Amino acid sequence: MKLKISYNTTDVQSGALIPVTNFVTIIPKDVTTVEGLKKHLEQLLAQRLGVQRALDPLLTTSDGFELTNSDNLSEILQSSIDTKGYEDHVVAYDMRALFRRERDRLDLDTPVHLLEKDDFVDSVKKSIKIGQHKHGKLYIQFIKGNLSPCLHLLSVEELKKIREDLKKGTIKEKILGKWSHLDDFLYVLDMTKSATKKLNPDLNWELETKLILTDSDKEGENRITVQNTIKVSSDVATPVSVQVPIEWEGVRVKKSEREVKQVTVTVVNTVEEQPLEYFKALIPAPIVVGDVINNPATPTLQKYQDSGDSDFHLLLPVEQQDQINTYVTCNQDTFARDGKFDNYFFIPGVTITLQRDSTSILSIVKLELEYQDHNNQWNAMHTVNFGYRYQQGWNWRYQWFDECNVNMKGGMSDTLAVRGAIQVTGKPGDDNETRSRAHASLPQPLKLRIRITDNEGKQRELIVEQANKPLNLPTLENRIESWDVQDKEFMKMVTCDDTDKLQRIFTAFYLSKKDKAIVLRYSYGTYFTFDSKVIKTLEFKAAKKEETELESHKRESSDGKWHTYARFDTKTGVLYAFRVTLETSTGKREEVVLVKDILDEVAKLQ
C-alpha cells in the first residue's frame, strides 16, 4: 500500500500550524490498523527528521476525516495497486499541532482531574489534566509550565475497545503516552535549531498516563481508570488513579463522586516536622563591630538675655519653645578640601533696638560670631555677615550685606539675619539631611555668641543655641508604617550604621499575604519575594549540593555591603533562617535571622 504523507507541527515562535515534510511511503503488509500505521510513521519520521515524533493523537485523510486506532486500513484506504497510479493521502499531526487544532473544543477550565507537581530544578510545574472534549471524547493533556506539549484524545469506541481488552486480559494496561525532559529537549532543539541550547544534567522528569481496569470498574460497563504518574527531578514517581466515564452522556461529572473522582493533587517534598523552639535554639548571638549613630531627640534649648554696655539691644524674636529649638539652621559644603570643609550656621533674625532718644544716631561697626567648643572655650567663626531673610515662592532665601555697618536712630529697631561658618576637619554629609546639621565633631547643643561693637567702642552680645534635628533613620517601627506591613509580629530587621556618614543600611524580612511569600527588602531599594515554590527550590538545591548555606543576595557599593545567605537545617533540610552580614565604613554586623515562623505562615497561605 502506497501513501502520501504530510507531517504538520506548530511553529515555536508564532504558534502557527506549519508543514514539516511531505513524502511517499510503502506500508508493509503486516501493518493493518491505524495504530500500527502510526508506529510505522514514527519510525520513518525519526529517520527523516532525526527526532522521535509522537503521532498517537491524530491521523486524518487529506479531506479531514479522522482515523481512529482500531480502523482497518484495507477498509478505509484505497489500494495502491491502481492502473491510474492513485495514491491515498494521509495528514499527520504532532502533539502540539493537535492541541492547537482542538483547543477550543476542550473543557480546560473545569477538568475532572488535575495532578500537579513542582519541579525545583527548572522551577517549572509539571501537570496532567483530564477532562471532556465537546465531541464526547476523553482528553488527557500533558502540561509543562504554560505549555502543552502533548494531548491525547480517546473516543467512546476506543475506550470501549481498550476496556474490553483489559477485561479479557488481552492486555494488562494501555499506555497512552509519555513525555520526558529528553523528549522536550529534543523537540525544542529541533524546532528552534539552536546550537547553543544544552540539556540540564540535573533535569530528570517524566509524565506518563495509562488506562487500567480495577475491581470497581468491573461493576459497571461505563467505567475505566486513568492512572497518571508525574516524576519530577526532585521527587520520586507517585501514580494517582482517577475513575472516568466511557460515555459522558447522563453522567454528572462535576457533582458525582461515584462516577468521576475529581481531585487536584499537589505533591511536594515532605520533611520531618520540628517545633519552632527547635529552630530558635539554632540561632547564634549576633556579631557587632562599631558604634551606632547617636540620634537623640531635639533637646529643649534656652533663650538668653543680651548683655553689654552698648545702647544697642539684641533679642531673639521667637517665644514658642518649639520655635526656639529649631530656630538656628545649618548647612555644609558638599565636599571637603584637604580634609576640611565649612559648616554654616544661619540665625534667621535678631531684633536690634537702639534705646536712645530719637535725635541720637549710633552705628554698629563690627559684628562677631563665636562658638563654644567641648572645652567651653569661645572660638571665632568666619564669613560673618548681617543680612535679610525673604521668601521666594515656598522657599526662604538670604541677601547678605557686603559690610557690617548698620546705622540707626534712637528708638528704632530692625530684625537682621546673621550667619557664620566653622571650619571642620572631616567629611561633609552625603545628602541634604546629613548636611543640614552641625557636624558630629561639634558639641550639642552648640552655643553661638553674637557680639556687636558700636562706633563708641561699646559692645553688646547675645547667646543663641543650636540643636540638630533627629535623623530620619530607618527603624523597624517606621518601616512597618512606611511599607504598611499588616502582620507586625512577622517582620524582622538587621541594621548597621555608618557613624561618619550618618547613614544606616538594613536588610528586612516580612510576610506578604498578598504575594503569599516572604519579602526580603534592602535599604538601597531592591526587594525580592520568596514564595513556597522558591523556598522549595532552594531547599532542593541545598540538599543536592549537601550545603547548609546558599548565597541568596550580594551587593557592594560605596554606601556599604549587603550579603544574605539562606540557611538550612541539617536534620530536616528545611530553610529556617537567613544569615545577614552588613558592613559600612565604620561598622559591621552579622546576624542569623530566624524566619521559620514567617515561612510557616507562607505555607498556610498556599
Side-chain angles (χ1 to χ4, degrees):
M1 186 179 294
K2 184 186 290 186
L3 285 180
K4 287 182 179 179
I5 304 296
S6 295
Y7 173 62
N8 295 325
T9 188
T10 303
D11 180 65
V12 173
Q13 301 297 328
S14 66
L17 199 64
I18 56 172
V20 173
T21 186
N22 298 307
F23 60 93
V24 177
T25 183
I26 302 297
I27 307 301
K29 290 183 179 180
D30 59 345
V31 177
T32 60
T33 64
V34 172
E35 186 173 16
L37 175 60
K38 290 178 180 179
K39 300 298 181 185
H40 173 68
L41 293 181
E42 286 176 1
Q43 295 175 3
L44 291 177
L45 287 170
Q47 295 171 3
R48 288 175 175 269
L49 304 178
V51 179
Q52 185 71 28
R53 302 301 178 94
L55 295 177
D56 188 65
L58 187 64
L59 292 179
T60 71
T61 61
S62 59
D63 49 359
F65 289 92
E66 296 181 10
L67 308 181
T68 60
N69 285 343
S70 58
D71 286 340
N72 190 301
L73 288 180
S74 62
E75 293 178 359
I76 63 172
L77 298 177
Q78 298 283 348
S79 172
S80 62
I81 304 175
D82 194 299
T83 56
K84 297 180 180 180
Y86 180 83
E87 297 166 339
D88 280 305
H89 187 173
V90 172
V91 179
Y93 295 83
D94 76 354
M95 296 281 191
R96 300 189 192 210
L98 175 68
F99 178 72
R100 178 175 175 81
R101 182 179 186 269
E102 300 291 326
R103 179 170 48 197
D104 293 338
R105 300 170 186 166
L106 305 176
D107 187 6
L108 297 174
D109 294 333
T110 55
V112 297
H113 176 76
L114 176 64
L115 176 64
E116 300 176 315
K117 276 193 178 182
D118 288 319
D119 194 325
F120 307 125
V121 172
D122 60 2
S123 299
V124 177
K125 183 180 290 184
K126 314 298 188 299
S127 311
I128 300 178
K129 185 185 289 187
I130 300 175
Q132 185 181 15
H133 187 281
K134 288 185 178 179
H135 295 167
K137 299 177 183 180
L138 176 75
Y139 79 79
I140 302 172
Q141 180 190 15
F142 289 177
I143 307 170
K144 189 194 81 168
N146 295 322
L147 302 176
S148 178
C150 296
L151 177 68
H152 301 277
L153 296 175
L154 295 166
S155 66
V156 173
E157 291 73 19
E158 288 177 294
L159 288 171
K160 284 183 176 180
K161 177 66 169 59
I162 294 170
R163 188 185 188 284
E164 187 64 24
D165 291 341
L166 290 169
K167 187 174 182 180
K168 289 179 179 179
T170 308
I171 56 174
K172 292 183 179 180
E173 59 185 26
K174 176 66 175 178
I175 297 177
L176 299 177
K178 292 184 179 181
W179 193 262
S180 70
H181 64 285
L182 185 59
D183 296 323
D184 194 69
F185 172 77
L186 293 175
Y187 186 89
V188 175
L189 182 66
D190 184 56
M191 288 294 98
T192 59
K193 308 298 183 186
S194 173
T196 59
K197 186 173 179 61
K198 295 182 179 180
L199 180 64
N200 185 343
D202 293 329
L203 280 176
N204 181 22
W205 57 267
E206 183 178 70
L207 286 72
E208 181 187 69
T209 186
K210 64 176 70 172
L211 292 176
I212 60 174
L213 200 66
T214 64
D215 292 338
S216 176
D217 296 328
K218 296 175 183 178
E219 295 177 2
E221 296 297 319
N222 197 37
R223 300 175 191 168
I224 197 167
T225 294
V226 181
Q227 187 178 84
N228 293 326
T229 304
I230 298 179
K231 186 227 174 284
V232 293
S233 309
S234 53
D235 201 1
V236 295
T238 51
V240 175
S241 298
V242 59
Q243 195 179 71
V244 297
I246 293 176
E247 294 187 68
W248 296 87
E249 187 176 354
V251 177
R252 300 177 64 187
V253 177
K254 296 181 182 179
K255 296 182 180 179
S256 174
E257 283 293 326
R258 184 174 172 203
E259 294 294 346
V260 178
K261 183 181 179 184
Q262 301 180 66
V263 286
T264 298
V265 183
T266 302
V267 183
V268 296
N269 292 342
T270 57
V271 294
E272 181 183 354
E273 293 291 335
Q274 292 289 345
L276 188 60
E277 295 301 321
Y278 166 83
F279 296 102
K280 287 182 178 179
L282 302 177
I283 305 299
I287 301 173
V288 181
V289 178
D291 298 325
V292 297
I293 295 171
N294 182 26
N295 195 35
T298 303
T300 300
L301 301 185
Q302 183 177 347
K303 184 177 179 180
Y304 293 83
Q305 298 293 324
D306 65 348
S307 61
D309 56 0
S310 174
D311 288 337
F312 282 109
H313 285 265
L314 307 177
L315 175 68
L316 204 64
V318 288
E319 297 295 337
Q320 299 296 326
Q321 187 62 55
D322 57 343
Q323 293 178 312
I324 297 172
N325 293 343
T326 59
Y327 195 60
V328 180
T329 60
C330 312
N331 206 347
Q332 299 173 5
D333 287 334
T334 54
F335 58 91
R337 297 176 180 85
D338 299 325
K340 297 180 180 180
F341 68 93
D342 285 340
N343 201 160
Y344 300 93
F345 295 84
F346 305 91
I347 304 169
V350 176
T351 301
I352 304 173
T353 305
L354 179 56
Q355 295 185 353
R356 280 188 176 182
D357 61 69
S358 59
T359 60
S360 299
I361 297 179
L362 194 64
S363 299
I364 298 175
V365 296
K366 186 177 181 181
L367 170 65
E368 298 171 276
L369 190 60
E370 300 172 322
Y371 73 95
Q372 191 177 64
D373 61 21
H374 288 285
N375 297 319
N376 297 324
Q377 299 296 314
W378 290 98
N379 302 273
M381 298 169 65
H382 66 88
T383 319
V384 179
N385 294 91
F386 276 129
Y388 282 109
R389 188 174 76 143
Y390 64 96
Q391 192 167 8
Q392 186 178 64
W394 295 100
N395 300 315
W396 287 97
R397 301 188 181 279
Y398 290 95
Q399 179 67 49
W400 302 107
F401 302 162
D402 294 331
E403 297 179 353
C404 291
N405 292 337
V406 176
N407 302 316
M408 296 184 70
K409 289 183 178 182
M412 294 184 61
S413 66
D414 198 358
T415 300
L416 298 177
V418 177
R419 76 164 179 182
I422 303 171
Q423 189 177 69
V424 176
T425 300
K427 294 181 180 179
D430 285 345
D431 54 33
N432 288 334
E433 183 185 22
T434 53
R435 286 195 296 268
S436 299
R437 58 199 298 107
H439 188 259
S441 62
L442 298 173
Q444 281 290 294
L446 179 65
K447 288 185 178 181
L448 305 176
R449 184 166 66 184
I450 305 167
R451 182 187 296 115
I452 60 172
T453 303
D454 61 30
N455 57 342
E456 295 177 351
K458 297 178 180 179
Q459 295 182 329
R460 176 74 60 172
E461 59 186 37
L462 175 67
I463 294 176
V464 179
E465 291 185 335
Q466 177 274 335
N468 290 333
K469 295 180 181 178
L471 292 164
N472 185 27
L473 297 173
T475 64
L476 184 66
E477 291 73 21
N478 62 32
R479 295 305 97 172
I480 286 174
E481 182 178 356
S482 174
W483 298 335
D484 193 25
V485 177
Q486 300 299 315
D487 299 276
K488 300 178 182 179
E489 68 273 22
F490 295 119
M491 179 167 171
K492 302 171 185 187
M493 189 173 180
V494 181
T495 63
C496 184
D497 287 355
D498 189 321
T499 53
D500 283 347
K501 294 183 177 181
L502 299 180
Q503 292 178 345
R504 174 173 293 169
I505 64 174
F506 66 80
T507 299
F509 308 85
Y510 62 90
L511 172 68
S512 172
K513 289 185 176 179
K514 177 183 177 182
D515 299 315
K516 299 180 180 180
I518 182 174
V519 180
L520 280 64
R521 200 155 183 166
Y522 299 89
S523 48
Y524 60 87
T526 295
Y527 70 93
F528 303 94
T529 56
F530 286 16
D531 58 15
S532 288
K533 188 174 181 180
V534 175
I535 294 164
K536 291 297 180 183
T537 300
L538 289 172
E539 290 173 346
F540 170 74
K541 289 180 179 179
K544 186 174 181 62
K545 295 180 179 181
E546 297 182 349
E547 298 282 356
T548 57
E549 274 194 354
L550 291 177
E551 185 176 76
S552 172
H553 180 69
K554 178 181 179 179
R555 176 186 168 90
E556 296 184 3
S557 72
S558 59
D559 290 331
K561 299 178 182 179
W562 296 258
H563 290 193
T564 309
Y565 303 86
R567 180 166 283 196
F568 307 88
D569 176 38
T570 55
K571 183 177 181 180
T572 63
V574 301
L575 171 63
Y576 72 95
F578 283 93
R579 181 168 66 88
V580 176
T581 63
L582 298 173
E583 187 173 348
T584 67
S585 62
T586 65
K588 183 177 181 179
R589 186 179 185 94
E590 179 176 314
E591 184 172 342
V592 178
V593 180
L594 179 69
V595 296
K596 186 63 172 63
D597 52 344
I598 303 178
L599 300 183
D600 288 344
E601 293 299 314
V602 171
K604 294 176 185 178
L605 297 172
Q606 304 307 309

